[in-house]
Amino acid sequence: MKVTTIIAAITLIVMSTSQTFAQSNDSMVMVERQKTQKIDRHGVCRMVENIGPGDAMIPVRTSSEWAVGQGSFLKNQHDDLVVTACACAPEARTYVQSQILDDHSFFKFSPAGNSLAAIYESNGNNQLRFYKLNSAGIFVVEDAFSISLLPRGGVTNFVFSGDGSQLKVLKYNKEYDTYQHDGSEWRKAGSGKALFLPNSAYGKPSYAAGSQHYLMGSFVLNHDGSKGIYAQHADGGQGLKGKYYIMNTPSNGDWSLDHIIDPADLGANIELLVGLYDVRPGGMALNKTGDVATVRLFHRSGMGRRGVAVYKKTSETWSHTQTLWADVAAPNPGYNASGHNYIAGDVAISGDGETIISVTNAFSGWSNYRTHFAKHTLSGDKYIMQYNENIGDTAGGSIMDHPHITGLDYGGDFGYANLHSMPWGQTHEIGIWSLKDRPKMMDPGTITFDANTRSTFLYQQDFNPFMQSGEIFGLLVNASKTSMREVNGYTFAEPEVVLYRAACSQ
């Protein structure tokens, strides 16, 4: 018989099933009999499986009760409980709704996932809010700053640096602000202008009312925030060719232009079409040092054909080093002989610039398809293939449900796809994939919602809808298609951010 301390002896309370208790609170977490519960408190995460005859209550109020010290729960053995690491196998992971942030019109996770920045709009009180993840797995406000009363705070986009210490906010009037975390709180650290950036190709947007110079585009930063890439939102439907702007992005003072990437320089049919469909997660990235840039391309000669171009800076000069088309990775021989004569390729780039995931679908009519996933990692100034797998060879399905990847987490291990099911406008699905060793769909792996009452704005998220470990996924939606509000004479749907947390399905 194992002898434990008195404190350890009282850390576990086993109950008969006839008793009624709250499932969890700040002090205790209940693990039902024959069930497994994920407990993530005070920076320590474990899966606790209850193989006993009754429910169990696990003490979590303090770190000394849960994980730290000889008297803590995790430092002692317990009959009828099996404690294992939190990580789920990808095929065993599912996502459950964990939190809703009302009246937030834009958000992004920090690369590590322990912070979230979002724009809050309510009754003329616009704020840039910084959230931090607490020990209970909930995002709580850490700091808030007043911003413009224009819709979305007059902000076209914002992004964390790769190390998560900075957030740079780009405004429609070509000004920017830098916010810095000093170890204890966020503070405004600098500001300036980026006057070299191009005006929008669209008509004057309502949310830039009163501005003569406005931006509509996306941008990314490297690890320390000193380099960035901006992509103009061009009018893809009219065939306007967009460009990528590599910038020097100091925390304070005006930004300066380092290089312009014009995809048309790679060929007459190659361009950057950045309408609402193409400016989305995975569109561009910089490596950690900011001297390798990877950008997304569109090829006019093939329907749906997409790829990436890689550029390297050497001796103050940027030069093209590689072009990688998604469909090249697929083993094309035999496809046409089998009637698979329509090929569509897609690519997504991780936020750290280290990983490219390409997906190629070859179709026969509207019901048969084959799908290949390929993973490429950066080595020097080129990407090397790590795997190339056929994960779909289907008859009788619909090409509207074919696998693809819309965006990746910062490290490139997890991806998602924004799917549409027939009939149009009824149901949208968000498919979640694990991509580290080979492509695996999470089980059940799909976040589904009724588009009659909600609609997604995934194209506005741009980058990093995941926290880096894939544990938390965020979705920007309309709270209701019938819930509208008026700002400066313009009508908008009520936005909200819905957060989902990974759980093990066993």
Side-chain angles (χ1 to χ4, degrees):
M1 177 178 178
K2 180 177 176 63
V3 177
T4 61
T5 65
I6 295 178
I7 295 178
I10 65 173
T11 56
L12 177 64
I13 305 172
V14 179
M15 307 168 294
S16 68
T17 57
S18 62
Q19 292 174 293
T20 302
F21 290 84
Q23 184 166 350
S24 65
N25 52 48
D26 289 340
S27 300
M28 308 286 282
V29 173
M30 184 174 77
V31 183
E32 297 177 5
R33 64 188 183 94
Q34 305 304 311
K35 296 291 182 67
T36 299
Q37 177 70 42
K38 179 179 179 179
I39 303 178
D40 187 357
R41 299 294 175 92
H42 310 291
V44 179
C45 182
R46 294 291 185 272
M47 303 300 298
V48 180
E49 181 182 9
N50 183 358
I51 60 175
D55 299 338
M57 293 296 288
I58 312 301
V60 296
R61 181 175 59 88
T62 64
S63 59
S64 59
E65 287 184 353
W66 165 238
V68 179
Q70 293 304 309
S72 66
F73 173 81
L74 291 182
K75 294 296 183 181
N76 291 275
Q77 294 182 3
H78 305 283
D79 294 339
D80 300 330
L81 295 180
V82 179
V83 181
T84 58
C86 271
C88 303
E91 60 272 19
R93 182 177 287 186
T94 185
Y95 286 82
V96 295
Q97 184 174 304
S98 60
Q99 191 175 357
I100 294 179
L101 305 179
D102 289 323
D103 299 319
H104 288 66
S105 58
F106 194 67
F107 83 100
K108 285 185 182 177
F109 291 116
S110 66
N114 56 353
S115 297
L116 181 155
I119 293 177
Y120 171 78
E121 297 182 73
S122 181
N123 299 321
N125 180 28
N126 291 354
Q127 294 179 340
L128 172 64
R129 290 184 173 182
F130 290 92
Y131 289 80
K132 64 179 179 180
L133 192 65
N134 67 13
S135 60
I138 301 297
F139 282 95
V140 296
V141 176
E142 182 178 14
D143 292 294
F145 299 86
S146 295
I147 56 178
S148 168
L149 295 181
L150 287 173
R152 219 170 92 166
V155 173
T156 181
N157 220 302
F158 55 69
V159 64
F160 282 96
S161 58
D163 61 10
S165 67
Q166 296 180 22
L167 183 86
K168 293 184 178 177
V169 178
L170 189 57
K171 306 175 186 180
Y172 290 112
N173 62 1
K174 301 189 180 182
E175 296 179 355
Y176 81 90
D177 292 322
T178 297
Y179 295 85
Q180 182 88 34
H181 198 274
D182 62 8
S184 60
E185 64 180 1
W186 288 93
R187 59 181 177 81
K188 188 174 178 179
S191 61
K193 299 179 180 180
L195 297 178
F196 57 86
L197 293 179
N199 290 343
S200 172
Y202 291 117
K204 185 176 179 180
S206 60
Y207 33 78
S211 174
Q212 298 303 311
H213 303 285
Y214 54 90
L215 297 176
M216 287 184 66
S218 305
F219 76 107
V220 297
L221 295 170
N222 71 329
H223 186 73
D224 65 4
S226 62
K227 285 277 189 180
I229 305 177
Y230 175 86
Q232 176 187 10
H233 285 207
D235 184 356
Q238 299 300 318
L240 178 64
K241 297 178 180 180
K243 299 177 182 179
Y244 292 102
Y245 296 79
I246 303 178
M247 312 172 289
N248 298 303
T249 54
S251 297
N252 193 31
D254 292 349
W255 291 353
S256 61
L257 181 63
D258 192 12
H259 184 70
I260 296 177
I261 295 176
D262 186 345
D265 293 339
L266 302 179
N269 288 320
I270 300 176
E271 58 189 37
L272 167 68
L273 290 181
V274 285
L276 297 184
Y277 178 72
D278 263 34
V279 167
R280 58 182 187 174
M284 54 191 171
L286 285 164
N287 68 337
K288 185 174 181 178
T289 54
D291 61 354
V292 175
T294 306
V295 299
R296 198 162 174 268
L297 305 174
F298 177 88
H299 202 297
R300 282 185 168 277
S301 64
M303 289 188 65
R305 192 182 189 202
R306 288 173 173 80
V308 294
V310 185
Y311 290 79
K312 169 74 173 180
K313 186 176 184 179
T314 305
S315 300
E316 302 304 315
T317 301
W318 286 92
S319 58
H320 173 247
T321 60
Q322 184 182 18
T323 299
L324 178 66
W325 296 104
D327 58 294
V328 173
N332 292 326
Y335 269 31
N336 289 341
S338 302
H340 294 79
N341 52 17
Y342 174 89
I343 296 177
D346 214 339
V347 292
I349 311 167
S350 64
D352 62 5
E354 297 290 326
T355 302
I356 294 173
I357 300 293
S358 64
V359 184
T360 305
N361 293 279
F363 302 106
S364 174
W366 285 79
S367 61
N368 300 307
Y369 67 83
R370 293 182 180 179
T371 301
H372 287 265
F373 276 65
K375 181 176 183 177
H376 306 78
T377 58
L378 185 63
S379 176
D381 58 358
K382 293 186 179 181
Y383 286 86
I384 308 300
M385 185 181 294
Q386 299 299 310
Y387 64 65
N388 184 22
E389 297 204 20
N390 178 15
I391 59 94
D393 194 345
T394 305
S398 168
I399 68 168
M400 305 313 300
D401 300 321
H402 70 267
H404 66 290
I405 294 297
T406 308
L408 302 177
D409 73 313
Y410 189 79
D413 292 332
F414 298 92
Y416 77 90
N418 188 17
L419 308 176
H420 303 273
S421 296
M422 302 295 280
W424 291 109
Q426 299 303 307
T427 302
H428 294 199
E429 295 181 347
I430 311 299
I432 312 295
W433 290 81
S434 170
L435 302 164
K436 186 173 183 179
D437 299 314
R438 64 182 304 273
K440 297 178 183 178
M441 186 74 169
M442 306 293 191
D443 185 14
T446 301
I447 298 169
T448 304
F449 59 95
D450 184 356
N452 283 325
T453 57
R454 284 179 167 176
S455 62
T456 61
F457 290 142
L458 281 178
Y459 62 82
Q460 291 187 3
Q461 295 181 193
D462 297 301
F463 298 93
N464 308 332
F466 290 100
M467 64 176 289
Q468 188 167 357
S469 66
E471 286 287 318
I472 296 177
F473 179 81
L475 194 63
L476 183 63
V477 304
N478 283 344
S480 170
K481 282 189 172 181
T482 60
S483 177
M484 309 294 286
R485 60 192 173 100
E486 187 173 302
V487 179
N488 294 338
Y490 299 97
T491 303
F492 296 85
E494 292 283 0
E496 66 183 19
V497 174
V498 184
L499 301 179
Y500 297 84
R501 190 171 181 83
C504 291
S505 58
Q506 293 105 323

